[in-house]
Amino acid sequence: MAGEQRAVTPCLSKSSILASVSFESTPFEFAEAVLSGDRKAAQRSLSAMFMRGVKQKDGRAMGTGGVLPFLSSWLFGQMGQVYEGRVMLDSGMSMRDIPSRAGVRHFQDRFVAKVKYCSVERLNRGVTALHACQRKSRLSDSDTEVLLERFLAQWFDGVPIETAEEMEL
């Protein structure tokens, strides 16, 4: 509904997240969890990145303002690669040939599992939801962690994705 906001609640309570977040996480781990269908791991990864931080290539801690661009860039790239693999699978290509044709040299078994899990429709919806998350972060003062939690709800639970027209900015 236009202008209607749904509250986004994480799948884990804050206390269980605090108890389970004793590690750092990376956009790679977040993308792995999302594209593998592991909501609990995706939520823990997201919480860890905001609570413990993310390290830059030089080893310094990245500010929380850099998490969304870094994470979304990595996730967009991974979604694109899985999409390419899924299109190949749907066109009849043998699953064993898909990783090399998609340029995947490492973690091929994980890639195959993600291709099997993610339909073209799911990936299209995921790209749309992630784009909406980025758009909302640029055009409002919304908390980026909350925006990414909303993305998880859209990916895993089918929460509606707000269109540009529906955003009251």
Side-chain angles (χ1 to χ4, degrees), residues 23-27 48-50 52-63 66-67 70:
F23 62 91
E24 292 177 348
S25 190
T26 66
M49 284 187 279
F50 280 93
R52 304 281 188 228
V54 176
K55 291 196 173 154
Q56 300 179 74
K57 288 182 180 180
D58 63 6
R60 294 184 329 198
M62 176 183 295
V67 173
F70 187 28

Side-chain angles (χ1 to χ4, degrees), residues 7-31:
V8 176
T9 54
C11 64
L12 304 172
S13 69
K14 284 291 184 189
S15 60
S16 67
I17 291 170
L18 288 171
S20 67
V21 178
S22 59
F23 62 91
E24 292 177 348
S25 190
T26 66
F28 171 82
E29 291 164 337
F30 180 79

Side-chain angles (χ1 to χ4, degrees), residues 8-11 30 33-34 38-47 75 122 129 133 145-159:
V8 176
T9 54
C11 64
F30 180 79
V34 167
D38 189 341
R39 180 172 185 146
K40 187 175 180 180
Q43 184 66 54
R44 267 199 323 254
S45 175
L46 180 62
S47 296
L75 186 54
R122 175 179 279 279
C133 177
E145 186 174 10
V146 171
L147 293 175
L148 286 163
E149 287 174 353
R150 179 175 295 129
F151 164 78
L152 291 177
Q154 291 163 337
W155 176 265
F156 288 107
D157 304 329
V159 169

